[in-house]
Amino acid sequence: QVQLVESGGGLVQPGGSLRLSCAASGSWVSIGAMAWYRQAPGQQREWVTTITEAGITDYANSVKGRFTVSRDNSKNTVYLQMNSLEPEDTAVYYCNMWIRTISAPHAYWGRGTQVTVSS
C-alpha cells in the first residue's frame, strides 16, 4: 500500500535551520493536501502546517514566519523548511497526505522524524 517516509531530522542549535522531507511511494490515483504535525515529549500531537493541492498554505501561530511548507508533485514529496529553531520546536515530526486510491481516499501518515533543538 501507500507508504510515507520522513527524513531530514536531527540535532540543531537554537537559531539554526533544518529541512524535512516526506516522500510517498506505492500506488494511488492522486494526492490532495499535504500536512505536517509534531508531538513533543509528554504533549499531544499538534498541527503545524498544511499545503493544499493548489499550493495554498496555512501555519500554526507558533511557527508562522519561521517555517515554510512546499511540495514537489513530480516527486510526490512535501518539504518543511524550519528556520530560527527554538527549543520548543523539539518534537517528532510527522507528515500526512490525503491520498485517493482506487478504492477510496484516505489520510496516510509517516512514521516520524526526530527534531531536537538544544545547546
Side-chain angles (χ1 to χ4, degrees), residues 44-86:
Q44 298 181 29
R45 186 183 65 182
E46 175 189 26
W47 171 76
V48 176
T49 182
T50 296
I51 182 167
T52 71
E53 195 169 2
I56 301 172
T57 59
D58 292 306
Y59 298 91
N61 289 334
S62 58
V63 306
K64 195 172 299 182
R66 301 187 298 118
F67 291 11
T68 302
V69 64
S70 60
R71 62 191 289 166
D72 185 339
N73 293 330
S74 69
K75 297 180 179 179
N76 307 311
T77 299
V78 61
Y79 304 95
L80 183 63
Q81 178 66 48
M82 305 184 295
N83 299 325
S84 302
L85 283 163
E86 305 167 350

Side-chain angles (χ1 to χ4, degrees), residues 9 12 17 19 25 33 36 46 55 60 62-63 73 76-77 79-80 88 97-98 106:
V12 65
S17 298
R19 190 178 82 149
S25 62
W36 288 95
E46 175 189 26
S62 58
V63 306
N73 293 330
N76 307 311
T77 299
Y79 304 95
L80 183 63
E88 293 76 18
M97 298 188 189
W98 187 255
H106 297 282

Side-chain angles (χ1 to χ4, degrees), residues 38-46 90-92 94 114:
R38 67 186 183 185
Q39 187 166 18
Q43 303 295 317
Q44 298 181 29
R45 186 183 65 182
E46 175 189 26
T90 296
V92 177
Y94 301 91
Q114 177 70 51

